[in-house]
Amino acid sequence: MQRNVYFVTLPGVMSLDLTGPAEALRLSGQFSLHYIGPQPEVMMSTGLMVSHLQPLPQSLPPGSIVIIPGVAESDENFSSPVAQTACEWLHQQKSAIEAGNLRLVCICSGSLLAGQAGLLDGYQCTTHHDVIGRLREQVPAAQVKDNRIFVEDRSVLTSAGISAGIDLALHLIATHLGPQAALDVAREMVVYFRRGGDDPQLSPWLRYRNHLHPAVHRAQNLIAAEPESAWQVEDVAARAHISARHLTRLFRQHLGISVRDYHEQLRIAVAQQRLQQGSGIEKAALAAGFSSARQLRRAQERWA
């Protein structure tokens, strides 16, 4: 039997917050998707119109999932009369959520609207790192967690921004249909490395990219493309068209770590992804370029 999923679709809805999780759930073939809202059509963050939205239902079948995608300009769009209507409707679902008859899923800034509706009081939760301070301020009774891909607390699941919504949808698929179904969907969507809730929002793939130096980006691109390879600083520098000494200095200046440490963090991330997919530690270590599980454990201890 298909499980009903209701997307609360408001003006300014972030297109990927809506379509990313929806596509993942659709591909599983076991969820019936409904798009609801206080008005029949809205403009998405990208300027596209979403029409034929169903009205907010009087009641929901037990076992349903209610998803609140984030919106652009959440301070304005979540304070509009349309959003307040949705907020009141969401508040009416509170007892069903607390009883476990409904599951609440918030993508990105959708947590802010859920917080307004009183649905996050006493729950562990998260949101996009840009608005996490607002969530903590607006919902002091919530237990807001920093730097998480998603958080699950009883019947309430919240996630960070955009692509984390896909991670959370895959988690829902794994919960309801099993891990193999989630892996099949992840492969179909070419997001083979699925992230877990405890993974940081800013993983090693992104954490050290907040700079503008082209040579350093070239070097990072090389290492990130093949983290399992035995990169030497001299080889990376030559292909980045600078000297090894200069590359070492630039990494320290712009990233705050060495080339070797950056490479090692990417290898650890690859190994952790393999472990999440069910590989044994020895196989995961070798796939990431470590010589053994023992070497992987030592590297993990250095960055614990």
Side-chain angles (χ1 to χ4, degrees):
M1 184 179 69
Q2 290 194 329
R3 190 173 296 268
N4 289 291
V5 180
Y6 296 85
F7 288 86
V8 181
T9 311
L10 299 177
V13 62
M14 296 287 288
S15 56
L16 277 179
D17 284 3
L18 178 66
T19 59
E23 193 64 32
L25 295 172
R26 182 194 71 81
L27 286 168
S28 76
Q30 296 298 315
F31 294 88
S32 178
L33 308 183
H34 309 270
Y35 304 93
I36 61 175
Q39 56 189 44
E41 65 178 22
V42 300
M43 182 178 289
M44 302 174 74
S45 61
T46 53
L48 291 172
M49 294 296 296
V50 180
S51 60
H52 302 292
L53 298 175
Q54 302 169 20
L56 297 170
Q58 293 287 335
S59 61
L60 297 173
S64 296
I65 300 170
V66 176
I67 298 182
I68 311 175
V71 298
E73 306 298 334
S74 56
D75 52 343
E76 297 178 12
N77 282 320
F78 278 159
S79 61
S80 68
V82 173
Q84 291 310 303
T85 299
C87 186
E88 293 171 7
W89 179 83
L90 286 166
H91 182 71
Q92 295 170 12
Q93 316 310 317
K94 184 174 182 178
S95 59
I97 294 169
E98 291 179 343
N101 294 325
L102 295 179
R103 301 194 85 180
L104 174 68
V105 175
C106 304
I107 310 297
C108 194
S109 61
S111 297
L112 294 172
L113 187 64
Q116 289 180 34
L119 303 181
L120 298 184
D121 291 354
Y123 285 89
Q124 297 183 50
C125 57
T126 194
T127 188
H128 190 281
H129 54 83
D130 281 348
V131 296
I132 203 162
R134 283 176 52 200
L135 181 62
R136 187 172 281 117
E137 180 181 345
Q138 292 178 13
V139 194
Q143 302 173 41
V144 181
K145 301 296 182 181
D146 293 291
N147 202 24
R148 299 286 186 86
I149 295 297
F150 63 83
V151 172
E152 180 175 13
D153 187 352
R154 290 159 284 174
S155 296
V156 174
L157 299 92
T158 52
S159 77
I162 304 177
S163 62
I166 296 175
D167 295 305
L168 185 46
L170 292 169
H171 174 71
L172 287 171
I173 293 168
T175 299
H176 292 290
L177 306 177
Q180 185 59 50
L183 184 56
D184 291 343
V185 172
R187 285 173 172 163
E188 180 71 16
M189 297 182 73
V190 200
V191 287
Y192 184 70
F193 287 135
R194 222 166 28 94
R195 296 178 295 180
D198 291 332
D199 287 354
Q201 291 185 29
L202 296 179
S203 70
W205 308 100
L206 301 176
R207 187 181 305 142
Y208 300 106
R209 289 288 188 165
N210 189 25
H211 66 86
L212 298 175
H213 200 288
V216 178
H217 278 304
R218 287 197 298 271
Q220 289 177 287
N221 291 342
L222 286 168
I223 299 171
E226 299 179 18
E228 71 283 357
S229 296
W231 289 107
Q232 300 298 316
V233 176
E234 293 76 13
D235 298 332
V236 176
R239 294 180 62 176
H241 310 299
I242 56 176
S243 70
R245 185 174 182 180
H246 189 37
L247 180 64
T248 299
R249 184 165 57 249
L250 289 174
F251 261 64
R252 286 294 185 188
Q253 177 183 347
H254 294 280
L255 277 63
I257 60 173
S258 68
V259 178
R260 178 186 177 279
D261 286 346
Y262 176 73
H263 186 196
E264 185 171 79
Q265 287 199 38
L266 293 187
R267 281 183 163 180
I268 292 171
V270 170
Q272 289 172 337
Q273 290 165 344
R274 295 286 184 178
L275 290 169
Q276 289 171 2
Q277 293 168 10
S279 295
I281 188 168
E282 191 71 34
K283 187 175 180 179
L286 295 175
F290 292 101
S291 61
S292 64
R294 183 179 182 184
Q295 188 186 39
L296 168 59
R297 290 193 187 97
R298 288 177 174 175
Q300 290 173 321
E301 289 171 359
R302 280 193 289 273
W303 296 103

